[in-house]
Amino acid sequence: MAPTRYHRFRDGERCDECGARQWYAQDAIRYCRNGHRLEGFAEHEADEDAFGTQGKVTRKKKEPRKKVAVKLTGDLGRELYLEVLQLILLKQVWWLVREKGFPQDFEEIVRALWTLRVSNLPLREIGDKERSRRIGDAESDGYASSATLFSSQSEGLGGESSDLDLSDGTTATWAPDAGRRWKLPKLVDTLALCYLGCVVRRLPATTADFWGWAQRGELDYLAALNDIPHNVRNRLPAEYHRALQVRDHIQPGRLQAAVQKLAISFRANFHTIFPPLNYVPILARFITDLILPIEIYMAVKCIAEILKTSYSYPTGGKRIRTMDNPEVLLISLIVVSAKLLYPLDGIERPPRTEADLRVVKFDWEKWREVMQDDTNETSCNLVRGEEYKVTPEDVLNMDKVKLDDYMDWFEKIWIGDDEPKTAEGIREPFEGQKRLSNPKNQNENPNPDREVGQIRKRYSILNSSMKVVEPTADPEDSAGEKSKERLQDFCPVWRTQDDLPNAAKALYSKAASLAAMPLNTLVRGATQVERQLEVWCNQRVRQTRNKGKGKAVWTGDDSND
């Protein structure tokens, strides 16, 4: 008979009855050294396949603990939000310098504007050790602290503030109010600061350019939150997550309003006045993009001289009109000039002399056909920047190339890496599927020669449809005096978009789309310009009537010389 083989209990275990520390197995039952039966053990006879596996221990793997970052609150959270905005702004500036060829000093200009924007905020002074620790933690995840890039430190010391207050640019000051609420900038202010840098540098860029770059995903804006490093994003308070989350598109006119509010606030806080727009190349580009005759350029210059406009941003005041925005004014002058030279209401207004610009009749129906052909130019790829317009019905009717483009856009904008399980669940149905078509290169610049060729082709089509109209002199009565002004010489005023006839609506809509502004804004701006012209005409008529009647007319010169 083989001797009994005893085994030791595991550490901390023993027989419950006698306290023995050794046990043995008999008939698949375990007993202690003193013969007491131990519960919870049953030995099974192993088969041939399981030979040599007895005694193998399998341990349950522990799930790795997920490190939960502590959300920053109070002034620390606000300072982190400002650093995130600085990082986004820096990426935008670098893209403009590298991809669009902006001058190297553009970064210095934007940096100075950002420093002024945050100089009134009660930022805390951070010591060298604290700053080094922050930079080290950030660089470990590929994030360089923007405090070392853009100076945003203030002389004031700030304690704990009350709550979130994203600044409205119409406020008189950016300093904290009585409730110690910080007037923080918004995400759209990063684009506005870049644009104001162009105004300072006299670059012929428009808010429509920035709107298009951001909308097409070239300029970091719509998916800016997804590009923020993990360690920074996880420590950012929830309210600032919402502030950095943008919808799938930028509302037309949103950027123009932000720029104007910033310009007014810079004047109110630091007495900073921005130079006027470099409007000449912008005006020429608008006219050629709208395929309008070159005579529009001279008409705009004349009307601008009459209105004594400088294309500068307003500096404040109780009442700011729509036409006070220089870009709104510029596109409104183009529309009004086209309306005066080439009537849009279908009423014939023959010229009076050979020098009248109306001797050339412009065919608006032909213009609409040319512009419609421009709109209907189909491409195998989905139009970049207009993915948000896709409806469920469009998705069902899309071909594979456009559907691939839409899914690429959806993944970039909406599927971040915040929740890996959620992203994996969305991507799971498409695993193993490869894109058959080549994606459109986002950084691919349009061919300027091709664009010039298209513009020349459209101008050639329009020039062939223009006609010369013989001038018609004003009829005179028996007394030799000219008859009353012909009613057809007066242009109608359209105050709402519902009042626009077909040709006018096509022109206004195309111009509003080109300037990235709502149609109602353009209609209101054009109406205000026409009202100013009406006032000037009435003043000129009164001055003409008062000539030679002995009435004193003030000329604006009060000198006694």
Side-chain angles (χ1 to χ4, degrees), residues 114-402:
W114 172 258
T115 303
L116 288 177
R117 174 61 186 89
V118 300
S119 61
N120 284 348
L121 300 178
L123 301 176
R124 299 180 307 113
E125 288 290 347
I126 303 177
D128 294 337
K129 294 183 179 180
E130 176 68 15
R131 183 179 292 108
S132 300
R133 184 185 64 80
R134 284 193 178 187
I135 296 173
D137 293 343
E139 288 180 347
S140 63
D141 200 16
Y143 169 66
S145 174
S146 54
T148 63
L149 303 172
F150 286 168
S151 174
S152 61
Q153 300 301 324
S154 174
E155 293 297 330
L157 296 177
E160 291 295 324
S161 301
S162 59
D163 54 0
L164 170 69
D165 182 17
L166 294 179
S167 172
D168 186 354
T170 58
T171 54
T173 178
W174 283 325
D177 57 12
R180 296 197 56 78
R181 293 180 304 173
W182 290 25
K183 307 251 182 347
L184 296 174
K186 303 176 183 179
L187 180 59
V188 70
D189 291 336
T190 59
L191 295 179
L193 287 172
C194 290
Y195 173 77
L196 289 177
C198 294
V199 175
V200 174
R201 193 59 175 77
R202 304 284 290 167
L203 299 177
T206 64
T207 54
D209 295 329
F210 283 87
W211 181 89
W213 295 331
Q215 189 62 50
R216 291 188 295 270
E218 301 173 5
L219 194 60
D220 196 20
Y221 183 77
L222 291 180
L225 184 61
N226 296 336
D227 296 332
I228 301 300
H230 273 290
N231 66 330
V232 178
R233 198 186 322 164
N234 294 337
R235 297 173 68 86
L236 198 64
E239 58 266 28
Y240 300 112
H241 273 267
R242 292 192 295 269
L244 294 172
Q245 286 177 342
V246 189
R247 295 183 177 180
D248 51 7
H249 69 286
I250 309 173
Q251 291 289 344
R254 176 78 175 92
L255 181 55
Q256 290 173 339
V259 170
Q260 181 168 305
K261 289 177 181 179
L262 271 182
I264 295 173
S265 295
F266 272 113
R267 174 67 174 86
N269 288 274
F270 307 105
H271 304 285
T272 302
I273 299 178
F274 290 90
L277 298 183
N278 186 11
Y279 73 93
V280 174
I282 298 176
L283 175 60
R285 179 151 59 99
F286 279 165
I287 292 176
T288 54
D289 288 345
L290 290 173
I291 319 297
L292 294 175
I294 195 60
E295 288 78 9
I296 300 294
Y297 180 86
M298 296 305 301
V300 170
K301 297 274 288 187
C302 293
I303 297 176
E305 185 176 352
I306 291 173
L307 301 181
K308 297 179 180 180
T309 181
S310 62
Y311 299 103
S312 299
Y313 277 94
T315 57
K318 295 183 179 179
R319 182 172 177 267
I320 298 178
R321 301 168 299 181
T322 303
M323 63 173 289
D324 290 335
N325 186 294
E327 288 198 354
V328 176
L329 175 62
L330 189 60
I331 196 67
S332 298
L333 289 176
I334 294 175
V335 170
V336 172
S337 300
K339 178 180 176 181
L340 292 176
L341 296 182
Y342 313 107
L344 292 163
D345 55 357
I347 298 178
E348 296 291 337
R349 294 178 176 86
R352 297 180 178 179
T353 62
E354 293 287 348
D356 196 334
L357 295 178
R358 293 178 294 182
V359 294
V360 177
K361 183 179 179 182
F362 190 78
D363 191 351
W364 285 109
E365 289 297 327
K366 195 67 176 178
W367 179 86
R368 290 175 63 186
E369 293 179 5
V370 172
M371 301 307 292
Q372 192 69 23
D373 292 341
D374 179 25
T375 306
N376 291 337
E377 286 184 358
T378 58
S379 173
C380 59
N381 293 94
L382 194 64
V383 179
R384 288 171 53 201
E386 297 184 0
E387 294 90 349
Y388 69 95
K389 298 181 180 180
V390 174
T391 62
E393 292 76 10
D394 296 334
V395 173
L396 296 176
N397 298 326
M398 275 184 181
D399 56 16
K400 292 184 178 181
V401 178
K402 293 185 177 180

Side-chain angles (χ1 to χ4, degrees), residues 448-459:
D449 296 336
R450 180 181 179 185
E451 292 183 353
V452 171
Q454 291 177 349
I455 292 176
R456 288 180 177 176
K457 179 181 179 181
R458 295 166 193 154
Y459 267 113

